[in-house]
Amino acid sequence: MQINNKIIISCGIISSFVPFSIFALGNPVQPVNKLTAFTHAELIVAPGKRLTDATLLVENNRIKAIIEHGDIPASALQIDLTGYTIYPGFIDPFTDYGIEFEYPKLGLTRPVYDIKRIGGNAENGAIHAEKEWFNYIYPNKERAKDWINNGFTSVQSSKLDGIFRGTGVSLSLADKTANEVIYQARTHPFMAFDKGTSEQDYPNSLMGSIALIRQTFADANWYNQNKHKSVNSTINTPFEFNIAFEKLDHLVEKPIVFETKNLNDLLRAAHLLKEHQQPANLLGSGQEYARINELKSLNYSLILPLNYPQAPDVGTDGADREVSLADLRQWERAPTNPAAVANADIPFALTQYGIKTDAFWPRLRQAVAQGLNEEKALAALTTQAADMAGTADFTGKLAPGYMADFVVTKGNIFKDGQIYSVWLQGQEQSIRSLSQAKLLGDYQLSLNNLTLDLSLQDISKDDKPKFQGSLSSGEQTISLTNLTLEDDGRISFNADLAAAGIQGISRFTLWLAKDGIQGRMVDAQSRSTNVAGMAIASNDGQMKQQDPKIAANTNLVSQLTYPNVAYGLHEAPKVEKLHIKNATLWTSDKQGILEHADLLMANGRIEKIGQQLSTPSGYQVLDATGKHLTAGIIDEHSHIAINGGTNEGTDAVTSEVRIGDVVNPEDISIYRALAGGVTSAQLLHGSANPIGGQSQLIKMKWGESAEQLKFANAPTSIKFALGENVKQSNWGEKFVQRYPQTRMGVKALFAETFDAAIAYENALKAYDELRSSEKKKTVAPRPSYRLQAVAEVLNQQRDVHIHSYVQSEILMFLRLAEAYRFKVQTFTHVLEGYKVASELAAHGAGASTFADWWAYKFEVYDAIPQNACLMQNKGVTTSINSDDYEMQRRLNQEAAKSMMYCNMSKEDAWNMVTINPAKQLRVDEYVGSLTPGKMADIVLWNAEPLSIYAKVSQAWVEGKRYFDRDQDQIAQQAIVSERAKLIQKILSSDDKAKAGEKVTPLNEPQWHCDTHYLAWGHTHQGAK
């Protein structure tokens, strides 16, 4: 049986036959013969492959054939889809659909250091690698509609909780049993940085999560290489069964689905996985356009949510001041993100994750209007998504043998088309009635001797159908009332035809017959008149024109900078060949201060200094008359440019965590540091535990990536700490369990950890010395990044920078270090250093202190502002550090304070923020002075740098000008102008353009040594 909506019909009395249509029924119906031919359709077989007037032949739950010109089997039920398009079913590769499972909760308010070990699980409550989520699948008919209504036919699903989340499952959205809907029981491992509902304290920072991932990779590799050796009990110690590690075997063969929440985390995940040569599909954040080249170089596929942000509140002058330029830019540019990813040729799929389901198609159409290629958009919903869901062999295309998962639409789904039917394993889910749709359009009706034009249109704006219509003759138009389109193919309406000579309200009932449209009219006197008509236009009346508001953001007014925040750069600065003439050079070396001197730099290095130097060919000249040129300031102790916490304070020893994993290149403090003359800073772990995390020395290369900020070739270092913080003196009554709780316990912990590191190294050495045959039957020592870092300290391969205050603890640690035969590189803070300056000098330790902080807590009551002078006079290499966002910009003034307090010379004062911290960080061969051959990390000041009136004119890092005050003035004006344009754009936009996801700011604090921050609850306490 065929249903045809493009027939010209004649007037006359026609029988009231109503055809059967499988689409007319609200519930799924299976043809008796199980063989169905969808004829005369446009088939989108795969992205880039389109067939017109073709037939899709379905048998049971599979596609049997695609027929272009051949005969249709006589036994097949034929459904005429003339004017309709069939797409492959869409696939969402990132969901938690259908999983019925919750982790048990302890409900404790005190710190949880250990979890209950059940069934061979991992030691950490955020590791659920053993979970295989097909075991917990229970299809949910109502929830499935969230995807089905948008044309999705299958999904990949996992419990989205924890760091190692277990193995996902791909399943159909059909309303069947779990056994029938599971397409792939085991697809891909799921992971994230967020530890989720785990109540175990560790990790409570982003760097802690990354360290746990790195350690778990190592543990799993060790476990699976050694588990078979444990049967030889005469040689081996007991070998603990661990199902989580066992399930992580051969992980490099399984692409991980990794969830991230922002652009920095996306790049961190990519770098971490690249470190382990681990394939992955990464969940994007909608900000990928801002670092697209860096992302492309990492060569990972993405899963993109369409999480466009809600327009920021700029309705009042006070409100708009609270909105950052970055947020304004993101509102405008978020719809361009899919196009940016596609244009960069980064493979990607699309997901509904994180948005309201009714926003999906408006958002995707907005992305298409912003330049997303329709073919790539379709691939992101079909072939790419199928590959990421592990079902590419039988979903994502219209092909023989593939599942009968497809979508029937009217019109181009990426512009103005609508979904009418979704078929799941050969069963229909009706979204809109096809019989209704076949009635829509323009007709010429004849009743008696009267001819009228009938127009029927679909004006639906969402999934709820809404129709309107009119009758017209010449210039007269009559609106229809009580217009109803039934699923059985009937239409009824009322019309006042008085203008046509028919008094009263007439009632019409019409339907499609196999040879046209027909029906009857009942007038005000209840007389019935037969009506017949012919189509006068293609019945595309239901197709809406593209909403012009979808493309409202096409003309972008925002800028794209690096980083994409205020004062970001439009392009990376170039290495300069420069002759700086007639400046006062503060060399910070044996030449002291040189008046009326010149400096030549090229290739990122200082070439020459002297007076009246000639300008080489190709060099620019900068006249610095009246100005002062110095080496860039170096801050030995900083906590800027960090994401996710400066403390992993959950254990007493966390030497495995790395600040280098969480560098934040978007932190405006980098730019502000340059404006204060700072070109390098050591980013330190906080002081929450005796042995904290590994440090990261960075250069202030504003606009560069996190990896490019890192100071190449700098020696590695680690943060240790003494005093009140490490024994949790002021943490509150809940924090009384963790060892140590006393100063003597701190010393004991150091000794125990050093001994454990020595034993660890000895075990590794002993295993390495075994013969090959013995190694085959001996369990290797379990790897420990925690002990490895401590062993590097003992071997003097990693420098210690130790937070300290009182003389007794400083002496304790000096003696302990000497007992274990390693040198302490720098005592930082060291406010009672003046009491033990001789001992510091004898040991060879540096001291990095505050200029004049004292009495802000009990252990610094004996601090004095002459501390720096007294230590330096005893031969201690002394520096002034900031430990503070704001103070870092004033380190030149902090250095000058010792001239006031104790008559320090200005050369020595300036050395405390240049060459001395360079020596403490062991990078003085590269930076810290204006010495030929060193890196061109230099700063030009408008006045003597120790003056409170001095301002930085320009700052170079490795010969690139990353700060220029003149350019800063221009940038300030440009930011004001850009903000104004974006605010006006928001104010002039309608509610549809303003709609989006409500963004909850991360609200990370300004980090200090003792900031307690729960990265996965985004709460913090503590300040200075």
Side-chain angles (χ1 to χ4, degrees), residues 26-28 30 97 138-145 148 152-154 171-183 405 422-429:
N27 296 318
Q30 283 291 329
Y97 167 74
Y138 188 76
N140 185 323
K141 180 179 179 180
E142 290 304 311
R143 190 161 182 238
K145 291 179 181 177
I148 294 171
F152 288 91
T153 56
S154 63
L171 64 156
S172 168
L173 293 165
D175 183 20
K176 296 182 178 180
T177 67
N179 309 66
E180 296 172 290
V181 300
I182 291 175
Y183 279 172
D405 290 349
V422 179
W423 291 74
L424 306 123
Q425 297 188 9
Q427 291 187 345
E428 183 206 12
Q429 286 284 332

Side-chain angles (χ1 to χ4, degrees), residues 884-920:
D884 182 84
Y885 277 63
E886 298 301 319
M887 186 180 290
Q888 188 174 72
R889 295 187 287 168
R890 305 191 305 272
L891 277 174
N892 61 320
Q893 298 175 33
E894 293 298 302
K897 288 179 179 179
S898 289
M899 296 168 60
M900 175 186 69
Y901 288 126
C902 47
N903 296 317
M904 185 181 286
S905 71
K906 59 184 179 182
E907 290 92 339
D908 285 344
W910 189 246
N911 286 349
M912 287 201 300
V913 290
T914 53
I915 191 62
N916 287 2
K919 291 176 180 178
Q920 292 171 346

Side-chain angles (χ1 to χ4, degrees), residues 112-133:
V112 178
Y113 297 112
D114 299 296
I115 61 168
K116 193 173 182 179
R117 305 296 298 278
I118 302 174
N121 63 333
E123 295 171 283
N124 190 277
I127 299 175
H128 312 297
E130 73 280 2
K131 294 294 185 185
E132 294 182 326
W133 293 114

Side-chain angles (χ1 to χ4, degrees), residues 316-335:
T316 64
D317 182 48
D320 70 46
R321 293 177 187 173
E322 299 299 317
V323 180
S324 70
L325 178 61
D327 288 343
L328 292 171
R329 288 176 173 177
Q330 177 62 10
W331 168 75
E332 184 189 44
R333 286 186 174 265

Side-chain angles (χ1 to χ4, degrees), residues 303-506:
I303 301 172
L304 295 182
L306 301 175
N307 52 345
Y308 307 165
Q310 187 180 88
D313 179 10
V314 294
T316 64
D317 182 48
D320 70 46
R321 293 177 187 173
E322 299 299 317
V323 180
S324 70
L325 178 61
D327 288 343
L328 292 171
R329 288 176 173 177
Q330 177 62 10
W331 168 75
E332 184 189 44
R333 286 186 174 265
T336 72
N337 189 60
V341 172
N343 293 339
D345 291 325
I346 299 173
F348 70 98
L350 293 169
T351 178
Q352 290 192 153
Y353 180 72
I355 67 171
K356 295 178 181 178
T357 56
D358 59 2
F360 181 80
W361 278 107
R363 301 268 180 90
L364 183 50
R365 287 165 179 162
Q366 195 174 355
V368 170
Q370 294 282 8
L372 174 61
N373 176 276
E374 289 184 22
E375 185 177 316
K376 290 190 175 182
L378 180 59
L381 290 169
T382 56
T383 51
Q384 288 284 359
D387 185 63
M388 294 183 188
T391 59
D393 290 341
F394 53 90
T395 69
K397 298 179 183 178
L398 301 179
Y402 276 55
M403 296 301 299
D405 290 349
F406 56 91
V407 185
V408 179
T409 74
K410 185 70 170 179
N412 183 344
I413 191 65
F414 296 106
K415 289 185 178 178
D416 49 22
Q418 293 178 323
I419 296 172
Y420 276 82
S421 184
V422 179
W423 291 74
L424 306 123
Q425 297 188 9
Q427 291 187 345
E428 183 206 12
Q429 286 284 332
S430 178
I431 307 299
R432 289 178 174 85
S433 169
L434 189 63
S435 295
Q436 291 178 349
K438 289 178 179 294
L439 286 166
L440 299 174
D442 297 327
Y443 300 88
Q444 189 176 78
L445 296 183
S446 294
L447 55 152
N448 295 333
N449 295 320
L450 186 63
T451 300
L452 296 172
D453 291 338
L454 171 65
S455 178
L456 301 171
Q457 294 179 322
D458 182 356
I459 58 171
S460 305
K461 293 185 178 180
D462 50 34
D463 289 334
K464 296 179 180 179
K466 185 177 181 181
F467 307 103
Q468 70 178 17
S470 64
L471 288 168
S472 61
S473 180
E475 296 182 359
Q476 294 288 328
T477 300
I478 302 166
S479 295
L480 308 183
T481 59
N482 294 332
L483 176 62
T484 303
L485 275 72
E486 302 291 348
D487 280 342
D488 63 1
R490 291 175 178 264
I491 181 172
S492 61
F493 58 83
N494 298 343
D496 185 350
L497 300 179
I502 302 175
Q503 299 302 314
I505 305 297
S506 298

